[in-house]
Amino acid sequence: MTPEESIALIKANLAEVLNPEIIDDVILKEKRDLKVYWGTATTGRPHCGYFVSMVKIAELLAAGCHIKILLADLHAYLDNMKAPLELIEQRVLYYEFVVKSLLKAVGVDISKLEFVKGSTYQCSQNYTMDRFKLEGITKISAAQKAGAEVVKQTADPYLGGIIYPLMQALDEEYLDVDAQLGGLDQRKIFTFALENLPRIGYKVRAHLMHSMVPGLGEAQKMSSSEPDSKIDLLDSADLVAKKLKKAVCVPKKIEGNGVVAFVEHVIFRVASLKTGGKSQFKVERRDEETLVYDDIEKLKADFEADILTPQLLKAGLTKALNELLDPIRNEYAASEEWQKIAELAYPSEEKQQKVKKQKKEVDPAKRAAALAAKAEQLKLKDEEAK
């Protein structure tokens, strides 16, 4: 692959790139591999929306980039304590299993990846001093704005959620990278880093942003905190079918359609990775010829024309997604270690047994007297009415 081809692949299939000239300078002038990091807070169980990031990571590896995967354990706690401190270590291990399995499912050689746990350097003296420097020059309103689309927002926020974007900015320096990869929801944190890292003596980085897959319900994106918006990576084939059957998929409407978006950003691109650039998506029809799509634009046109109905699209996606998830489910089923870690990372919540209040026993004599008194009152009212 030529340097120009490498640059083109790095920038391909992205919604936006900030400071793209940094990428060009590293590859063309410094003549070295681009160093990129992608981070994830180890909170709830990862869902199928993660495929979008994994596909881009696969493309970056193919382009010759050095990739670091940040398992952001402290961020998971700071974001409204989504991950309790006592569970963080196990969730880091769970996420490492999941991310590796996800990447293998899309055909990535995971030996080329470097995994880093955030707390291994975020508790150091130098990092802490730099965090203090950022805190000293950052207004609360600016920090809240930076994390608005990533950190859980409340009327009276915890301090951890305010520090969160500052740490994500610092991570770029301490992971020694040229660029950071994330979804469009990270844009405000990325611009915060661009504006503020130079203020404490550090260089700016490039930022690669991929599109976000809308949730299957009304949510704008798949989220671990929105159960109706997502399909978990270890959901059974039947549960995947059930969730997709219930998914919101307005006929003839492309914009904001999570089902169409998932086919575009995951199924088509995974197929392209596995076949060397030849995407294909099949939709079987009863008593009719199978619809075969090699181009997402043709699929969208057929959907808008109602040739490809929501029911047909969901059925096709169910088959394709289950084929993609099968190796992940099989790996989990075969790994006692992964299963044990899952139990420790996400312990089952005990169901609260509702104790029914027992009715007090009423003295029959008192009950009879009360009924008699009530009858007498009704009799008096009838007489007054007459």
Side-chain angles (χ1 to χ4, degrees):
M1 185 178 292
T2 67
E4 289 75 17
E5 289 172 336
S6 176
I7 290 170
L9 184 54
I10 289 168
K11 298 177 182 178
N13 301 311
L14 292 170
E16 186 177 3
V17 180
L18 299 179
N19 292 85
E21 68 279 0
I22 292 173
I23 299 169
D24 301 345
D25 289 345
V26 167
I27 295 174
L28 297 177
K29 294 181 180 179
E30 298 181 32
K31 299 185 183 301
R32 62 175 176 83
D33 295 341
L34 188 75
K35 294 180 289 186
V36 184
Y37 105 79
W38 172 81
T40 180
T42 52
T43 53
R45 293 176 186 266
H47 49 74
C48 287
Y50 278 64
F51 271 116
V52 181
S53 298
M54 298 303 106
V55 171
K56 188 59 205 177
I57 287 172
E59 292 175 348
L60 293 174
L61 286 169
C65 297
H66 178 77
I67 307 294
K68 293 184 180 182
I69 304 291
L70 174 64
L71 300 172
D73 51 340
L74 295 184
H75 281 88
Y77 173 73
L78 291 173
D79 187 2
N80 214 49
M81 295 174 286
K82 287 180 180 177
L85 284 174
E86 61 271 18
L87 298 180
I88 280 180
E89 186 63 32
Q90 299 303 324
R91 291 196 179 179
V92 167
L93 295 173
Y94 182 85
Y95 265 68
E96 186 168 349
F97 266 109
V98 169
V99 171
K100 287 179 177 178
S101 190
L102 263 169
L103 287 166
K104 284 186 286 186
V106 299
V108 172
D109 179 2
I110 61 173
S111 65
K112 297 180 180 179
L113 294 171
E114 180 181 351
F115 285 83
V116 181
K117 184 169 71 171
S119 58
T120 57
Y121 65 87
Q122 290 166 345
C123 296
S124 69
Q125 182 177 349
N126 289 340
Y127 187 97
T128 301
M129 287 304 299
D130 279 339
R131 199 193 75 209
F132 286 158
K133 291 177 185 177
L134 272 183
E135 290 169 357
I137 62 172
T138 303
K139 293 184 178 181
I140 290 177
S141 59
Q144 286 180 306
K145 178 183 177 182
E149 294 185 46
V150 177
V151 181
K152 185 174 181 179
Q153 300 298 300
T154 61
D156 188 14
Y158 289 106
L159 187 58
I162 295 173
I163 295 172
Y164 186 113
L166 280 66
M167 290 177 62
Q168 186 169 336
L170 270 182
D171 290 339
E172 295 181 354
E173 176 65 24
Y174 280 79
L175 288 170
D176 186 27
V177 295
D178 306 301
Q180 184 179 171
L181 169 68
L184 272 173
D185 59 339
Q186 304 278 339
R187 193 182 195 283
K188 291 178 181 177
I189 294 180
F190 290 170
T191 56
F192 175 87
L194 289 172
E195 294 167 1
N196 290 282
L197 283 185
R199 297 176 69 191
I200 60 171
Y202 295 135
K203 65 181 182 180
V204 298
R205 271 76 178 177
H207 294 90
L208 315 174
M209 285 170 277
H210 59 68
S211 299
M212 304 295 294
V213 174
L216 298 178
E218 301 298 334
Q220 292 184 341
K221 63 179 181 178
M222 281 197 183
S223 170
S224 296
S225 58
E226 294 280 349
D228 293 336
S229 75
K230 66 187 178 76
I231 293 174
D232 287 337
L233 295 167
L234 296 175
D235 280 347
S236 67
D238 288 343
L239 187 53
V240 169
K242 183 179 179 181
K243 286 185 176 181
L244 283 174
K245 189 175 182 180
K246 293 170 58 180
V248 175
C249 186
V250 180
K252 304 180 183 181
K253 183 181 178 184
I254 299 295
E255 186 177 354
N257 190 315
V259 179
V260 174
F262 196 89
V263 173
E264 177 179 6
H265 296 294
V266 177
I267 303 302
F268 260 83
R269 288 176 61 198
V270 169
S272 178
L273 281 171
K274 289 185 172 183
T275 59
K278 297 178 181 179
S279 300
Q280 192 175 84
F281 178 66
K282 295 182 178 181
V283 179
E284 296 177 356
R285 296 185 291 178
R286 185 181 299 177
D287 302 325
E288 290 186 80
E289 186 179 351
T290 298
L291 294 171
V292 181
Y293 295 102
D294 300 313
D295 176 27
I296 188 63
E297 296 306 321
K298 172 59 177 171
L299 183 147
K300 289 180 179 179
D302 278 4
F303 188 80
E304 288 180 316
D306 211 28
I307 296 170
L308 177 62
T309 65
Q311 292 76 16
L312 287 172
L313 180 61
K314 288 180 181 182
L317 176 55
T318 298
K319 185 175 185 296
L321 180 54
N322 273 322
E323 289 175 355
L324 189 54
L325 293 176
D326 274 342
I328 300 173
R329 292 188 289 235
N330 292 339
E331 185 177 355
Y332 176 78
S335 174
E336 292 184 8
E337 184 184 3
W338 188 356
Q339 293 171 38
K340 182 63 177 177
I341 288 171
E343 291 176 9
L344 295 172
Y346 302 97
S348 300
E349 295 181 4
E350 294 183 10
K351 293 182 179 180
Q352 298 293 327
Q353 297 294 329
K354 294 182 179 180
V355 181
K356 294 183 179 180
K357 294 182 179 179
Q358 293 184 344
K359 293 181 179 180
K360 294 181 179 179
E361 292 186 6
V362 180
D363 186 334
K366 290 183 178 179
R367 180 178 176 82
L371 290 171
K374 189 173 183 179
E376 187 64 28
Q377 288 178 348
L378 291 172
K379 182 179 178 182
L380 291 172
K381 286 182 179 179
D382 287 342
E383 290 177 354
E384 289 175 358
K386 292 177 181 178

